[in-house]
Amino acid sequence: MWDSITIESMFDGRSHHGAFRQHLWYRWKGLLVLRALLCLAMIGVGAFFMIAYKDIGKAQLIASALIVMGSFALVRPMVWQMWSERKLRKHPAYGSKIMYKFSKEGIMMDGKSGKVEVPWVVFKEVVALPKGMILYQNKKDYMWIPAYDFKGDEMEQICEWFVNQGELKRSS
């Protein structure tokens, strides 16, 4: 359909806010739900112990510990997102525009910190989500491009190029 797709994206807090949450939800959805349920159960059991055994000192200590551990574990993914966004702010290209040129061979990125051509084989997975596209270099490292930078079905076309990379290698 297209020979190449060119996208200009701003690399800043607005464009990347919530990208880590999208990555976590895509990659670890089952574990996040299980963790949230366990945290809520710990808080609930702690509250029950507080009310039911208010005269017993050890029960109060255990109840307090359960509430604190459950609350901390429930908030931990939010802290991870803050750290992720802080790490992005330290990047040399933060606050600048990056030009992405996607083709069947790979991606050419041009921005404040330099120009680089990356073949599709470097990426392990490319995911089109309603809020943007995630290009995984491994399970934890990824690039995020928000959906509002794409037009029409460009994200689907890019994902198709990634999926067909094996066919491209065989034909060359």
Side-chain angles (χ1 to χ4, degrees):
M1 189 182 210
W2 293 293
D3 289 335
S4 68
I5 298 171
T6 303
I7 293 169
E8 191 172 285
S9 183
M10 191 69 180
F11 180 49
D12 60 1
R14 179 182 173 269
S15 65
H16 281 70
H17 180 71
F20 185 73
R21 186 177 53 238
Q22 294 290 318
H23 154 69
L24 276 182
W25 189 248
Y26 173 75
R27 183 65 72 201
W28 310 106
K29 184 185 312 185
L31 289 175
L32 287 173
V33 170
L34 178 64
R35 169 205 211 109
L37 292 174
L38 287 172
C39 292
L40 292 173
M42 287 174 71
I43 293 169
V45 168
F48 173 75
F49 275 25
M50 279 282 195
I51 295 167
Y53 301 104
K54 57 184 161 199
D55 297 332
I56 302 170
K58 285 186 181 180
Q60 292 293 304
L61 185 62
I62 292 171
S64 299
L66 284 171
I67 292 171
V68 168
M69 287 188 308
S71 300
F72 178 74
L74 198 60
V75 172
R76 203 165 98 183
M78 291 178 242
V79 173
W80 287 345
Q81 179 173 339
M82 280 186 339
W83 287 342
S84 174
E85 290 180 9
R86 183 174 182 217
K87 185 176 95 177
L88 287 176
R89 287 192 298 272
K90 292 180 179 181
H91 194 280
Y94 187 82
S96 66
K97 288 192 179 200
I98 299 174
M99 181 76 69
Y100 296 94
K101 185 173 182 181
F102 297 91
S103 68
K104 292 178 182 178
E105 291 78 36
I107 307 170
M108 195 275 296
M109 296 175 266
D110 189 7
K112 179 180 168 183
S113 62
K115 187 176 186 176
V116 65
E117 288 188 42
V118 183
W120 286 117
V121 295
V122 170
F123 299 103
K124 303 299 178 212
E125 189 175 4
V126 176
V127 182
L129 300 171
K131 293 189 177 187
M133 176 179 277
I134 302 176
L135 300 124
Y136 283 103
Q137 296 148 355
N138 58 42
K139 256 187 162 178
K140 293 182 180 180
D141 295 325
Y142 61 90
M143 289 177 10
W144 169 262
I145 304 173
Y148 55 76
D149 289 338
F150 294 95
K151 297 175 199 90
D153 61 345
E154 289 178 336
M155 277 200 292
E156 289 77 22
Q157 180 65 37
I158 292 166
C159 288
E160 186 178 313
W161 286 341
F162 173 75
V163 170
N164 294 331
Q165 72 174 332
E167 293 172 21
L168 291 171
K169 280 191 271 181
R170 283 192 293 273
S171 65
S172 12

